Structures are given as C-alpha cells and as structure tokens.
Amino acid sequence: MRHMRIKAAVAALGLSLSLAACGDAGSDTGGVDVEAADVSADDFEAGSKMAEIAEAGEITVGVKYDQPGLGFQDASSDIPTGFDVEIAKLLVAALGIDPESDSVTWEETISDNREPYLEEGRVDLVLASYSITDERRQIVGQTGPYFLTGQQVLVAEDSDITGIEDLEGETVCSVTGSTSLENVEAAGAVGAPAETYSQCAEDVLNGTVEAMSTDGSILLGLAAQNEGELKVVGEEFSEERIGVGYSLESPEMCEFINGVLQDAYDDGSWAEAFEATLGGDGVETPEPPALDECPAA
C-alpha cells in the first residue's frame, strides 16, 4: 500500500463540520454535518477495499441501534445518531460518499454478530461500541481506539447497590458476545445474557435482575433515557478501548482508518463529534486516545 496516496485522499476530505447541537447523551442532537471528500477510486491503491468502495459509491456500516449517545435509532430519525455514528460518517466521507445519503446502509449490529457480519461481508465496517481485544483480532481486523471508556453498573434509582463489589452472587445483565459479560462473571456476579442493552435496562426496571453492566458511556445514555428510574453507580472496573472493525481480508483498511481518525483528532472534528453526542453541561471533552499501529503488511 502506498501510504502517501491514502494520506492525500484523507487530506482532500476537507471536512465541512458545523456543530448542529450539543446536548445530553441520548438526545437526538443531529450530530455534525460532514461533506463527502472530492475523491474517486483512482485516489486509492488499485485493488484496495477503499478503491472498491469508492468505485461502487456505496457502503454498509454496522452500528448499534439501542445505545443512546453512541448508536441509537428511533422512529423520528432517518439515520442512527451517536458518537459511533459520527466517527463512521468521517470514514464514509473520506471515501467520497455522502454519509447523509441513501448510498450508506446503516446495518443494525448487535454484540453477538459483529464478527460474523464482517466475515460474511454483510458490512464493510463496524462501529458498534466495539472493544478491541486480542481474541477478536484473531477473527477480524480492529484498529483505533477512537474512544476509551470503562465498565460500570446500572441499577434502579432506589437501589442500595454502590458498585460491582456489591453484586457478588447477584444476577447482572449484559449482552451476549460482549466483554462486559465476561467481566461481570470475573467479578463474582452471575451473568444474565440478553440480546440487546435495551432489554437489559428493561430487566433492571422490572426487577428481573439486580443490575446491568457495560461501558459507562452506554449506561449514562440509558440512565438519561430513564431519568428518575435508573442510575449509574460505582467506579470503572475495566478499560474498554473502542475501535473500528473491518475484514481481515482487507488489511489495507487499517492505515486508511487510522489516517482519517488522526486527521479528526488534529482538526478538531473528533472533539466536535464527542460534544454533539456524549458531551453536554458539565462533561469535559477528553483528549483523543493514541492510535494502535497497524500490523506489518
């Protein structure tokens, strides 16, 4: 791969970003406006996945639909909203595709099917609160991280539980196929797998489980959606490195993704995306995390 050609294409992106709104996680902020780069398949290495997507003028991106602030779809929105979606828009635009157009298919992707969807070619990219792990990197490509978070606990508003240490032997919900479920069981709780995070939240609300646990950013969005009924408690007890998934059959995607992310860090569009989705009153915008190096070709 000729790295300079990729960097030239990324630099040509010329993102026109305007902050549409800045509100609490879970609100429909509309995110930021992103214009497609003036690039074509010729701006990428011949035979690369980037050239293939640019030539087709279409892309499919796997995102969550039930995580306010990260990836959320409701009846009033044509496009999912959230920080994961905003980062995906930057990648889509860098390939010359308008992220607001019908040329982008936003495929609902739950925790248990992220690897299969990439392996089967059902999606081109996954940005679905996708924690980077060594085990997953044996199956699919992952790069980033573009966000760091940690696992916490969500309980009913009137609960006396103060953190994961109070849940030894208790039933705690998280989604099937997530690292969160593994961490809950390692902490001594009894894991209760569910298909979606919204189902876990519902189980906490109706008393089926004592608590649910996953990344704090997801829990804050669910708590905001159920204000007065749910609350986030405890310190973070893990570090989750959220990244972008791609097929191992297209290793060239790693340098492209990292180039777009680094440009977003440098030009402030990453911070704007954060402030439009996870930010709000009293929420400090963090420094973007250092990117992993791509595997040697």
Side-chain angles (χ1 to χ4, degrees):
M1 175 183 300
R2 287 169 292 200
H3 182 61
M4 291 305 296
R5 290 188 70 185
I6 291 177
K7 287 298 291 180
V10 172
L13 179 56
L15 290 176
S16 174
L17 291 163
S18 61
L19 196 59
C22 183
D24 294 334
S27 61
D28 185 4
T29 65
V32 293
D33 294 328
V34 184
E35 291 184 1
D38 184 15
V39 297
S40 69
D42 293 338
D43 292 298
F44 302 99
E45 185 173 353
S48 68
K49 184 66 173 178
M50 297 84 71
E52 176 188 323
I53 294 171
E55 177 69 25
E58 297 180 340
I59 188 169
T60 301
V61 183
V63 295
K64 293 291 182 69
Y65 274 21
D66 68 334
Q67 294 180 354
L70 289 169
F72 186 75
Q73 176 76 7
D74 61 27
S76 66
S77 302
D78 294 328
I79 296 173
T81 59
F83 187 58
D84 287 347
V85 177
E86 295 306 313
I87 298 301
K89 287 180 182 179
L90 299 176
L91 296 167
V92 169
L95 292 163
I97 300 171
D98 178 1
E100 303 288 337
S101 72
D102 292 339
S103 296
V104 185
T105 299
W106 301 97
E107 183 80 15
E108 182 177 13
T109 307
I110 63 174
S111 295
D112 208 29
N113 63 23
R114 291 174 293 197
E115 290 84 33
Y117 275 17
L118 286 168
E119 289 181 292
E120 297 163 6
R122 181 163 174 169
V123 299
D124 299 301
L125 297 170
V126 167
L127 293 92
S129 58
Y130 204 10
S131 297
I132 297 171
T133 69
D134 291 340
E135 292 76 17
R136 286 173 176 158
R137 279 178 163 167
Q138 300 302 308
I139 304 170
V140 298
Q142 286 188 306
T143 194
Y146 60 84
F147 187 52
L148 299 179
T149 186
Q151 193 166 337
Q152 291 176 278
V153 173
L154 186 75
V155 296
E157 181 66 37
D158 59 359
S159 174
D160 294 330
I161 293 167
T162 61
I164 191 64
E165 61 278 359
D166 294 334
L167 288 164
E168 186 171 354
E170 301 292 343
T171 305
V172 178
C173 186
S174 199
V175 297
T176 304
S178 68
T179 56
S180 299
L181 194 61
E182 298 172 8
N183 292 338
V184 160
E185 292 170 345
V190 178
E195 186 171 308
T196 64
Y197 289 106
S198 55
Q199 181 59 58
C200 277
E202 182 61 33
D203 287 347
V204 175
L205 285 168
N206 63 32
T208 303
V209 298
E210 290 293 323
M212 73 169 286
S213 182
T214 188
D215 304 347
S217 55
I218 298 171
L219 299 181
L220 287 171
L222 291 168
Q225 222 182 20
N226 298 275
E227 187 175 0
E229 296 181 279
L230 296 174
K231 63 182 179 181
V232 180
V233 298
E235 298 295 324
E236 295 178 353
F237 60 95
S238 73
E239 180 182 76
E240 305 299 327
R241 304 169 65 250
I242 307 303
V244 182
Y246 58 94
S247 171
L248 280 179
E249 294 182 0
S250 305
E252 68 275 10
M253 288 290 283
C254 184
E255 291 286 357
F256 165 74
I257 293 165
N258 277 7
V260 175
L261 292 177
Q262 188 61 58
D263 280 1
Y265 291 177
D266 294 342
D267 67 19
S269 52
W270 180 91
E272 286 187 278
F274 178 89
E275 290 158 7
T277 53
L278 294 173
D281 293 340
V283 178
E284 183 177 353
T285 301
E287 290 295 317
L291 298 169
D292 291 351
E293 291 187 8
C294 292

